[in-house]
Amino acid sequence: MISKPDQREHGRARWLVESIALVILALALALVFRATVASAFEIPTPSMSPTIMVHDRVIAERISVHFSDPKPGDIVVFDDPLGGHVPLIKRVIAVSGQTVDVHDGSVWVNGARLNEPYTHGLPTEVGSLPLPCAIPNGRIWVMGDNRTNSLDSRYFGPVDVATVQARAVALYWPVSRLADLTDGD
């Protein structure tokens, strides 16, 4: 027969082991969730302002990119095509089969000028790549909303769809700037 003090110590030890196991399980589930379902990203540059400002935080879902390619207007997180370690976040402007051009301070896709209220009237300048550019299969053209301060497809070309990690769905921090990022503007 176990004495009362021994029973209490046994109960405490069991509680401690169960608590540690629950914490480990919770961490494992959080890591799996982050790797497969959704992640939070902090914005490192002003290339998406004023839509998304430096140090804002967004939630990006990872599931839909496995089932469908990004479409124009989506804000996507993708591997830096120049080899940087921090993923980039930009807006999809054109997709495979479309042709992008920049002139008169505006972006043109398939000969039609885009209506881009998210640029807040900032002009779009031509980058270092020759335009117009026909977007090849499996690629997308991405640009920051802050066209005067964005290193984007105008400089590194169309992005491989396979490098897209996630679609941004919501700006959640700071709370005063909560926003749905799926509406295209």
Side-chain angles (χ1 to χ4, degrees):
M1 183 168 183
I2 301 177
S3 68
K4 286 231 185 229
D6 288 341
Q7 281 180 333
R8 270 190 245 129
E9 288 212 16
H10 179 69
R12 285 187 193 129
R14 182 176 174 172
W15 174 85
L16 182 60
V17 168
E18 288 175 354
S19 296
I20 290 170
L22 281 173
V23 168
I24 291 170
L25 178 63
L27 287 172
L29 288 173
L31 290 173
V32 168
F33 182 85
R34 185 171 191 258
T36 61
V37 177
S39 292
F41 292 92
E42 181 176 351
I43 307 309
T45 69
S47 71
M48 285 298 292
S49 65
T51 308
I52 308 170
M53 305 297 282
V54 175
H55 302 300
D56 282 359
R57 289 172 178 79
V58 300
I59 293 290
E61 62 84 15
R62 295 179 179 273
I63 296 173
S64 68
V65 297
H66 298 293
F67 301 105
S68 66
D69 288 345
K71 62 184 187 317
D74 285 350
I75 297 174
V76 295
V77 177
F78 58 97
D79 298 337
D80 183 345
L82 300 176
H85 299 292
V86 176
L88 302 179
I89 185 167
K90 308 283 184 201
R91 188 178 301 272
V92 177
I93 300 301
V95 296
S96 299
Q98 295 183 315
T99 299
V100 176
D101 200 358
V102 174
H103 56 84
D104 302 327
S106 297
V107 177
W108 299 72
V109 175
N110 293 342
R113 182 175 180 249
L114 293 184
N115 177 24
E116 299 183 290
Y118 42 79
T119 65
H120 297 272
L122 290 175
T124 300
E125 300 164 358
V126 175
S128 60
L129 294 181
L131 293 173
C133 177
I135 312 305
N137 285 335
R139 302 226 169 223
I140 55 176
W141 186 271
V142 296
M143 297 175 81
D145 290 356
N146 183 358
R147 298 294 164 75
T148 59
N149 190 8
S150 178
L151 182 62
D152 52 37
S153 286
R154 294 172 292 167
Y155 301 94
F156 51 68
V159 172
D160 188 336
V161 171
T163 67
V164 175
Q165 299 177 15
R167 278 186 179 96
V169 294
L171 190 156
Y172 73 93
W173 191 261
V175 175
S176 62
R177 293 184 28 79
L178 283 175
D180 176 5
L181 297 175
T182 61
D183 63 6
D185 43 61

